[in-house]
Amino acid sequence: MKKDLSNIKKAKYLLDRNHCVAIPTETVYGLAANAYSNQATSKIFKLKKRPKSNPLIVHYSSMQDLKKDCEINDNFQKLYNRFCPGPITFVLKLKRESKISKNVTNGKKTLAVRFPKNSITRTLLSCLKYPLAAPSANIYTQLSPVSKKDVKEEFGNKIKFILDGGNTKIGLESTIINLINKPQVLRLGGIEIKKVSKVLKKKLNYTKKKSINVPGQSKFHYSPGIPIRLNVKKFYQDEAFVLIQKRKKFDKNYFYLSKNKNLKEAGKNLYKTLRKIKKLKFQKIAVEKIPNIGIGQTINDRLKRASKR
Ligand code: AMP
Ligand code: MG
């Protein structure tokens, strides 16, 4: 996607005046606001209908800027060198002198930070005098947006501007790692846990038990708003049938996540496919078994939450 500087300038103009702007990232589109401003960040919660207790991830363009707000450590440095910019978020200790708004952390002494890869958003961040708090640009518990059109569908004219960056490359949210004391996986995401473990030279697992309080990891999330059945072999005629691999036979109920069981491609297509099914007015969704390896684990995590009622 070509960089349009006039759009980046427009986004900056609005953000400088405490408005929210939707921004493209490699994971999903974000609803961004000045992370140092109480006024700007409170608008994010209102627009998304997100509970105040659910803290926001803050996006930076440089390590230098991040150091103004957080304490860093060796594990952070290792993971930063290997994966940033990229789809990984770190929870770090907030510095006492940090200007991050209390809305962002819900008053906690920890901060979730990320360096997004999308070059349009990186250029925008480098022009700003503050980092951007940005959760996904969707209404709370709904499907995350992977294109400008999706964001428009979520918010209509309620947001002033959507910075267009084309379709997102990963299509799933970031992996979140708590780096305060012992490293711990808080959310599965765009980077496989196996790769993170390799860099830290320590095997990490994703378990329900967490050493810190992790709000906002609710069981019901990422929902297309209709019932979903998982690990299905045989679908019913009133169900859209989501498949991991293309089949030879045509069926109007079939929706493919990938051509050839490629899990990265499937991740990229997941939210787009669920949104399409919803628009076609199917009342139910059946999903065939998705291999629970690599990014397949993240896909299964999202589908499980989306299937909760
Ligand atoms: P998202 O919903 O994609 O904006 O991701 C935000 C999630 O990051 C929250 O729901 C929490 O699970 C996690 N998170 C954000 N800030 C913190 C924090 N300060 N401490 C622990 N977890 C956090
Ligand atoms: Mg979200």
Side-chain angles (χ1 to χ4, degrees):
M1 185 104 192
K2 224 177 90 217
K3 228 182 270 184
D4 180 342
L5 284 179
S6 68
N7 280 339
I8 294 176
K9 272 190 194 153
K10 184 172 174 184
K12 174 178 158 46
Y13 179 90
L14 292 166
L15 290 163
D16 282 347
R17 282 156 188 77
N18 284 329
H19 292 296
C20 291
V21 166
I23 58 166
T25 85
E26 76 279 24
T27 59
V28 301
Y29 272 69
L31 185 62
N34 177 354
Y36 291 157
S37 158
N38 290 330
Q39 194 197 346
T41 50
S42 73
K43 288 181 184 169
I44 293 179
F45 290 91
K46 238 181 246 153
L47 281 163
K48 275 184 65 80
K49 303 194 175 97
R50 176 165 166 132
K52 283 260 162 68
S53 57
N54 192 351
L56 306 176
I57 295 172
V58 177
H59 296 63
Y60 290 87
S61 68
S62 76
M63 176 78 101
Q64 204 184 340
D65 288 340
L66 175 122
K67 282 181 179 167
K68 292 178 195 157
D69 295 320
C70 312
E71 313 272 359
I72 64 160
N73 55 40
D74 285 353
N75 284 332
F76 168 75
Q77 192 68 58
K78 281 181 205 158
L79 294 172
Y80 173 87
N81 292 345
R82 172 67 180 83
F83 298 116
C84 294
I88 185 161
T89 295
F90 310 104
V91 174
L92 296 169
K93 251 192 211 151
L94 187 68
K95 278 191 175 165
R96 211 182 301 154
E97 63 268 29
S98 160
K99 287 192 284 187
I100 292 288
S101 161
K102 292 242 178 332
N103 293 334
V104 169
T105 56
N106 189 31
K108 282 153 77 88
K109 302 278 180 283
T110 56
L111 185 67
V113 299
R114 179 162 114 74
F115 298 87
K117 196 168 187 171
N118 181 285
S119 79
I120 295 172
T121 286
R122 289 185 65 71
T123 304
L124 170 67
L125 280 167
S126 66
C127 302
L128 302 174
K129 291 201 165 65
Y130 45 83
L132 290 174
S136 50
N138 55 290
I139 307 294
Y140 184 61
T141 76
Q142 304 293 303
L143 283 173
S144 298
V146 295
S147 68
K148 179 181 171 181
K149 206 169 112 249
D150 295 351
V151 180
K152 188 93 190 156
E153 252 173 49
E154 290 289 317
F155 294 105
N157 294 324
K158 286 197 184 121
I159 48 178
K160 295 219 181 263
F161 187 54
I162 304 168
L163 187 57
D164 194 359
N167 294 327
T168 61
K169 290 221 164 77
I170 308 262
L172 297 165
E173 293 77 0
S174 60
T175 301
I176 307 182
I177 311 284
N178 175 22
L179 291 177
I180 296 170
N181 304 324
K182 240 170 73 187
Q184 196 177 32
V185 184
L186 301 183
R187 176 173 77 186
L188 298 172
I191 287 182
E192 295 169 39
I193 299 309
K194 227 166 88 183
K195 290 187 181 163
V196 176
S197 297
K198 209 169 160 193
V199 173
L200 294 177
K201 297 197 173 75
K202 185 181 175 299
K203 192 169 183 323
L204 299 187
N205 289 311
Y206 179 63
T207 58
K208 294 222 164 70
K209 251 183 149 180
K210 306 280 176 356
S211 62
I212 60 164
N213 177 20
V214 191
Q217 293 289 309
S218 60
K219 287 200 179 96
F220 175 62
H221 210 149
Y222 316 109
S223 166
I226 49 179
I228 302 184
R229 284 196 305 134
L230 303 179
N231 303 321
V232 170
K233 285 200 178 118
K234 246 181 108 187
F235 69 101
Y236 297 112
Q237 271 315 312
D238 62 345
E239 290 178 318
F241 194 24
V242 176
L243 300 154
I244 184 68
Q245 182 174 24
K246 202 164 166 116
R247 293 197 181 178
K248 280 199 189 112
K249 191 186 141 218
F250 170 83
D251 194 307
K252 68 171 180 29
N253 297 47
Y254 286 177
F255 294 85
Y256 305 112
L257 292 179
S258 84
K259 268 198 206 101
N260 212 359
K261 249 189 184 175
N262 179 321
L263 292 169
K264 277 196 178 151
E265 188 188 337
K268 183 179 173 180
N269 288 328
L270 179 68
Y271 294 140
K272 193 169 93 179
T273 306
L274 296 178
R275 206 174 268 274
K276 185 166 149 196
I277 290 169
K278 189 181 173 181
K279 258 193 249 166
L280 286 169
K281 302 251 181 320
F282 277 92
Q283 296 301 311
K284 289 175 190 165
I285 300 175
V287 187
E288 90 171 328
K289 193 175 170 73
I290 313 282
N292 203 38
I293 43 163
I295 291 303
Q297 288 183 311
T298 305
I299 298 173
N300 282 324
D301 171 82
R302 302 303 189 262
L303 283 170
K304 221 187 273 169
R305 290 176 205 267
S307 69
K308 289 264 157 29
R309 295 243 101 200

